[in-house]
Amino acid sequence: MKTVVYMVRHCDSPKLEADERSRGLTDKGKADVNRITELLKGEEIEVFVSSPYKRAILTIEELAQQNGKEIIVFEDLKERIFSNENNRISDDELFPLLEKSFSVPNFSLDGAESNVVCQDRAITTLKQLLDTYRGQKIAVGTHGLVMTLMMGYYDNHYDLDFLLNTTKPDVYKMEFNDQTCVGVKRLWKS
């Protein structure tokens, strides 16, 4: 039985806000929410789930409302924890950390997660979603790295280069037969 998962990477978010959980969307991000809604409104999505981070929820909220659905929040779909605090790290710090994390998947800073730990928690949730909502269409409000790690679980060409070439927002349609990914298609056009 085919289950479809729409990985919806969040829209542009202000980088000046330090708290990762409460960062909202920029004006461009808010405009792109309308584009996401237009893009996916005909897909007949039945289930909406998200990371607990505000920017991910806001990205799919309008689409969920138009479909008369609530968004189910899963803590384990949050972005990878890069430091032992809930604060954003700068891009200057992030890019070397990403490079090392993809070359040494178990690498993490003290008190933070590795790519392996992040992937394990996110994939556990995704597998539960595939079981619970088997045969349905599921939108997942997500983040760039956790999305890449989930997709990379099924196909290792979803790697650092893939991540660095994604956009905010971005949308990938993944088709599954039971727990097996049988196809991925990018739907978002920048």
Side-chain angles (χ1 to χ4, degrees):
M1 180 173 287
K2 184 169 78 171
T3 305
V4 180
V5 175
Y6 298 86
M7 293 286 181
V8 183
R9 184 182 187 189
H10 68 79
C11 296
D12 191 52
S13 183
K15 293 184 177 181
L16 298 177
E17 295 178 29
D19 188 330
E20 281 295 289
R21 286 185 178 266
S22 63
R23 278 179 31 207
L25 300 175
T26 62
D27 289 341
K28 179 192 179 309
K30 291 173 186 172
D32 282 339
V33 166
N34 296 328
R35 292 181 59 205
I36 292 281
T37 302
E38 274 301 305
L39 176 68
L40 297 177
K41 73 178 183 182
E43 295 290 321
E44 300 177 353
I45 297 170
E46 302 150 286
V47 180
F48 293 83
V49 301
S50 181
S51 152
Y53 292 14
K54 186 176 180 181
R55 60 193 181 272
I57 294 168
L58 290 173
T59 298
I60 64 169
E61 187 172 55
E62 183 179 318
L63 182 63
Q65 289 173 350
Q66 283 192 7
N67 283 279
K69 304 290 183 180
E70 296 291 323
I71 297 172
I72 306 164
V73 173
F74 287 87
E75 183 68 22
D76 283 344
L77 292 176
K78 67 187 173 195
E79 184 59 289
R80 180 181 153 196
I81 300 168
F82 290 102
S83 67
N84 59 0
E85 298 176 16
N86 193 31
N87 294 334
R88 185 181 180 283
I89 62 174
S90 72
D91 287 346
D92 290 341
E93 295 172 293
L94 180 61
F95 293 119
L97 179 59
L98 287 173
E99 286 179 335
K100 186 160 186 180
S101 296
F102 276 91
S103 64
V104 183
N106 281 308
F107 168 78
S108 69
L109 297 175
D110 288 341
E113 288 182 307
S114 67
N115 275 4
V116 169
V117 170
C118 179
Q119 183 183 59
D120 285 349
R121 72 164 157 81
I123 284 296
T124 297
T125 300
L126 181 58
K127 287 180 175 183
Q128 290 169 350
L129 292 170
L130 291 170
D131 280 340
T132 303
Y133 302 108
R134 188 171 176 218
Q136 297 184 53
K137 294 181 177 183
I138 309 162
V140 178
T142 190
H143 307 271
L145 180 54
V146 74
M147 176 183 79
T148 300
L149 293 174
M150 284 189 283
M151 293 170 73
Y153 176 83
Y154 297 98
D155 183 339
N156 65 10
H157 94 267
Y158 297 107
D159 57 9
L160 179 59
D161 288 335
F162 169 80
L163 171 63
L164 296 177
N165 286 292
T166 60
T167 58
K168 292 180 190 174
D170 218 333
V171 180
Y172 291 84
K173 180 179 181 178
M174 301 179 72
E175 295 187 5
F176 292 84
N177 282 338
D178 294 317
Q179 293 285 333
T180 303
C181 182
V182 295
V184 178
K185 180 181 179 185
R186 185 177 190 215
L187 300 183
W188 182 254
K189 307 284 189 247
S190 300

